[in-house]
Amino acid sequence: MGTDADASTALPAHLRPLVTLCYQTGARLGEAKGILWAQVDLQNRRIALMEGQTKSGRARVLPLSTELVAMLEPLPKDAWWYAFSARNLRKEWTKATKKTDCKRLLFQDLRRSAVRNMMRAGVQQAVAMKISGHSTPHIFQRYNITDEFDLHEAVKKVEEHKS
């Protein structure tokens, strides 16, 4: 079975920055689609989401990875243009997930992947919640999907701790 990263590379180039942002930060699709170039600061590797632009109504910052900055740098920029294209997203997402054997992968799963990846990387929960925009630990934990990999990693950590 393919992965969400496989589905991303099967998408047309104009959709990859949007998908990468959501996969890496857990940004909601509606938030990401509404980002204007005026909110993007490539030099400081950040996007400033404004009050009212987020589900909670609170402003927050989305940090940008080196990969995402590289995707965004060559794009044409006008302060009042949208930074991320979502043209034909639904149709292209369906095609990409079928092509990569990820038929059951929903766009919303990118948000879960972002949370899981941050937690596995050792990012503190409070920091991951600020990035993803989760207001409560209870809802955040619903996105922090645990699987068999996590169980094996836990046993390894306990074994290493005993040594």
Side-chain angles (χ1 to χ4, degrees), residues 23-163:
Y23 177 71
Q24 292 179 350
T25 66
R28 294 172 179 89
L29 179 58
E31 295 169 343
K33 286 171 38 176
I35 296 169
L36 300 174
W37 276 113
Q39 297 171 260
V40 179
D41 180 352
L42 294 178
Q43 184 175 347
N44 292 307
R45 299 169 50 135
R46 67 192 299 273
I47 293 173
L49 295 176
M50 307 305 207
E51 291 179 11
Q53 188 176 10
T54 65
K55 184 177 178 181
S56 69
R58 288 178 284 214
R60 78 173 194 274
V61 170
L62 297 176
L64 299 177
S65 68
T66 303
E67 176 187 19
L68 193 50
V69 168
M71 288 178 167
L72 295 174
E73 280 178 331
L75 299 178
K77 297 161 191 67
D78 182 305
W80 304 114
W81 287 358
Y82 291 111
F84 296 93
S85 172
R87 189 181 70 234
N88 297 324
L89 176 62
R90 184 175 293 172
K91 180 177 94 172
E92 295 296 342
W93 182 262
T94 300
K95 282 178 18 184
T97 56
K98 284 180 183 176
K99 180 179 177 181
T100 58
D101 197 27
C102 297
K103 294 178 189 96
R104 294 177 30 216
L105 184 68
L106 305 173
F107 197 89
Q108 177 70 8
D109 292 330
L110 298 179
R111 190 161 161 76
R112 290 180 187 85
S113 294
V115 167
R116 180 199 63 220
N117 292 342
M118 286 188 272
M119 296 307 294
R120 283 184 178 173
V123 174
Q124 292 179 10
Q125 181 175 321
V127 174
M129 286 176 63
K130 274 215 179 277
I131 293 170
S132 66
H134 285 98
S135 299
T136 66
H138 173 73
I139 299 298
F140 179 83
Q141 285 305 323
R142 287 178 46 198
Y143 280 78
N144 186 15
I145 305 300
T146 304
D147 61 16
E148 190 172 338
F149 173 84
D150 298 304
L151 305 178
H152 291 287
E153 286 299 304
V155 169
K156 281 183 193 175
K157 287 180 180 179
V158 170
E159 289 173 343
E160 290 169 5
H161 180 70
K162 284 182 172 181
S163 305

